[in-house]
Amino acid sequence: MEHTVGWFGALVFGILQGLTEFLPISSSAHLRIAGGLVPGWGDPGAAFTAVIQLGTETAVVVYFRREIWAIIRTWTLSLFRPQLRREPDARMGWYIIVGTLPIAVLGYLFQGTIETSLRSLVFAGVTLIVFGVVLGLADAIAVNRKPLTRLRMPEALAFGFAQALALIPGVSRSGGTITAGLLMGYTREAAAKYSFLLAIPAVFASGLLEILDIGGDKAPAWGPTILATIVSFVVGYIVIVYFMRYISQHNFMPFVIYRAALGALVLLLLAFGVLQPYV
């Protein structure tokens, strides 16, 4: 059941979205948990969640603007100039397109389940723990050698299926794709960068589709939604800057511990009735 989001709630949700979207800790799970903990808030809903992600994804576009422009320009020109088709930026354009297909297809096929059953806090708690452990194992055995220039089509598709797991709150879009990248031998920085670039088409498509539901009977009003989106952009940009610096010198263990602790706390609060699976 979706609830109206007020101005203060929008501010909090916007900050949470910006803080957690790029870290491998699941922004959608945090929004669900916050909504469940504060009386009167409840689940902000799939539409609100998708739309405020436009803010954090715009932060990605601004941060990687030079790389994104080079990819778009070279890919477009390569359609008419065959000699450009072997250029890394032209290939990256195709990798992002192909990598987006899994989440687009699965999101369409299972839209009803994603917006209802899978928004249970039970799923969020369990997936926070399980995929946190998977991230930790992947980071522990990672060779951290391959740069993004070595990406090939089968791996781009594998990244895409990993991103599709983020349709389940608690998995984490960045966490799933970064885990896949580590398992395939990519450096932490390469896995994170491709994770952010790959998310752009999916997030913008989802947000623009869901934007039609904003202001409806069961969705938040436009004002709070716009506020949350702007706040998520500002906070998200700051997080990208520091996260990319952090992973160049540190591993993901702090995030693994955090995920496990938060997931365990959610399941404990559910067991004692402090949280409800659907609110």
Side-chain angles (χ1 to χ4, degrees), residues 119-249:
R119 293 189 68 79
S120 167
L121 282 175
V122 175
F123 276 106
V126 172
T127 53
L128 278 168
I129 297 171
V130 172
F131 284 91
V133 172
V134 174
L135 172 62
L137 292 174
D139 199 27
I141 65 175
V143 295
N144 292 302
R145 292 177 182 171
K146 293 167 66 174
L148 203 52
T149 52
R150 291 181 59 185
L151 183 66
R152 295 296 179 264
M153 191 63 75
E155 294 174 326
L157 190 59
F159 268 113
F161 278 105
Q163 177 182 233
L165 292 173
L167 294 169
I168 305 172
V171 173
S172 170
R173 185 190 310 274
S174 63
T177 47
I178 288 172
T179 298
L182 294 175
L183 291 173
M184 290 186 287
Y186 287 92
T187 65
R188 296 185 182 98
E189 299 96 313
K193 181 178 179 179
Y194 185 65
S195 169
F196 297 158
L197 293 176
L198 181 61
I200 293 173
V203 172
F204 273 105
S206 175
L208 292 175
L209 285 174
E210 294 284 3
I211 206 169
L212 300 175
D213 292 332
I214 298 299
D217 294 337
K218 294 184 178 181
W222 273 103
T225 303
I226 293 173
L227 172 63
T229 305
I230 294 172
V231 171
S232 73
F233 164 76
V234 175
V235 177
Y237 186 85
I238 296 171
V239 170
I240 293 178
V241 172
Y242 285 97
F243 181 64
M244 294 302 290
R245 292 177 185 173
Y246 174 86
I247 60 175
S248 66
Q249 300 178 352

Side-chain angles (χ1 to χ4, degrees), residues 13 15 31 37 48 58 63 72 74 137 139 181 228-229 232 266-267:
F13 285 136
I15 293 172
L31 297 184
L37 284 174
F48 177 83
T58 301
Y63 184 82
I72 293 174
T74 308
L137 292 174
D139 199 27
T229 305
S232 73
V266 169
L267 295 178

Side-chain angles (χ1 to χ4, degrees), residues 44-185:
F48 177 83
T49 302
V51 172
I52 68 171
Q53 285 177 345
L54 294 175
T56 42
E57 213 54 40
T58 301
V60 173
V61 173
V62 173
Y63 184 82
F64 290 110
R65 60 190 179 278
R66 293 183 180 86
E67 291 93 334
I68 293 171
W69 171 246
I71 292 169
I72 293 174
R73 180 179 181 277
T74 308
W75 179 83
T76 303
L77 289 175
S78 73
L79 298 177
F80 308 98
R81 301 180 186 176
Q83 67 272 22
L84 293 177
R85 291 172 187 172
R86 292 185 176 275
E87 290 292 319
D89 287 330
R91 295 202 309 270
M92 182 59 70
W94 286 114
Y95 296 155
I96 291 174
I97 291 170
V98 171
T100 302
L101 294 178
I103 197 170
V105 173
L106 294 174
Y108 174 78
L109 292 177
F110 298 102
Q111 182 178 7
T113 303
I114 292 165
E115 295 183 352
T116 54
S117 302
L118 291 185
R119 293 189 68 79
S120 167
L121 282 175
V122 175
F123 276 106
V126 172
T127 53
L128 278 168
I129 297 171
V130 172
F131 284 91
V133 172
V134 174
L135 172 62
L137 292 174
D139 199 27
I141 65 175
V143 295
N144 292 302
R145 292 177 182 171
K146 293 167 66 174
L148 203 52
T149 52
R150 291 181 59 185
L151 183 66
R152 295 296 179 264
M153 191 63 75
E155 294 174 326
L157 190 59
F159 268 113
F161 278 105
Q163 177 182 233
L165 292 173
L167 294 169
I168 305 172
V171 173
S172 170
R173 185 190 310 274
S174 63
T177 47
I178 288 172
T179 298
L182 294 175
L183 291 173
M184 290 186 287

